[in-house]
Amino acid sequence: MKPIPFFISSLVLCVGCDQVTKYAALRWLSTGPQHSYLGDTVRLTYMENRGAFLSLGAGWPDSVRWFFFTLVSLLMVLAAAWFAVQRLRVERALSWKSPVFGAVLLAAGGIGNLIDRILRDGAVIDFMNLGIGPVRTGIFNVADVQIMAAVAIFVFFKEPPALPKGEETAKSES
């Protein structure tokens, strides 16, 4: 698949998945009680989050929140998209461990949350919570999962540094 169509189709699929699940949360969870599954390991509950991860910054003044959570997020989405397109020009074999896939997930998660912030006066719909007993995650959404998956790809699946040209042949001969 050509680089730009791959990037756009992956982005649309990821953002679409996020927005469909947020719509479902709004429709079925916003007016009712929390739902619990798998022995209370998974909880579905509706929440509008004005902050970032774990509601960080939710109490900041509106202008500061807008700057950080809208403008800075938009710049990060654009940087991730630029990175992905640049890498797609040279990378031929893609895998889920590829930095390109990480950049697509980062951009998609950012776009998903940006859509919410723009349409919901700075708030993002969160609805999932995982845990066992008192040990629980914060409430999150699919875009947050995409962003965390992107971070994991960048942290755990780094490409090995390229060897200098002379060392490449010496290493293969030994």
Side-chain angles (χ1 to χ4, degrees):
M1 185 176 229
K2 295 204 181 261
I4 300 301
F6 168 80
F7 177 75
I8 291 172
S9 62
S10 299
L11 205 60
V12 167
L13 183 65
C14 289
V15 172
C17 182
D18 173 64
Q19 291 300 300
V20 165
T21 58
K22 287 176 180 173
Y23 174 78
L26 177 64
R27 177 106 197 268
W28 291 299
L29 298 173
S30 66
T31 57
Q34 165 180 292
H35 298 272
S36 177
Y37 301 98
L38 300 174
D40 203 35
T41 302
V42 177
R43 291 181 188 165
L44 299 180
T45 186
Y46 182 85
M47 183 181 118
E48 290 190 10
N49 181 3
R50 296 202 171 281
F53 180 71
L54 297 176
S55 296
L56 172 71
W60 294 351
D62 288 346
S63 59
V64 174
R65 270 197 348 254
W66 182 87
F67 177 77
F68 278 101
F69 300 139
T70 305
L71 189 59
V72 171
S73 294
L74 178 61
L75 293 175
M76 291 184 75
V77 164
L78 293 173
W82 179 85
F83 172 82
V85 170
Q86 296 308 309
R87 287 293 298 250
L88 281 169
R89 291 181 177 180
V90 295
E91 201 168 316
R92 295 293 172 225
L94 294 175
S95 78
W96 62 271
K97 296 190 266 183
S98 166
V100 171
F101 191 60
V104 168
L105 288 172
L106 184 62
I111 291 169
N113 282 337
L114 276 172
I115 290 170
D116 273 21
R117 290 199 188 280
I118 291 166
L119 297 179
R120 304 195 174 293
D121 196 30
V124 171
I125 294 176
D126 287 335
F127 59 93
M128 293 184 280
N129 177 272
L130 304 175
I132 299 173
V135 179
R136 304 210 64 84
T137 65
I139 300 175
F140 58 95
N141 59 46
V142 172
D144 298 335
V145 173
Q146 293 167 349
I147 292 167
M148 293 307 294
V151 169
I153 288 170
F154 288 129
V155 170
F156 296 113
F157 299 108
K158 292 182 181 174
E159 295 175 344
L163 294 172
K165 276 196 174 197
E167 287 184 41
E168 255 178 46
T169 53
K171 194 125 179 135
S172 63
E173 291 173 1
S174 55

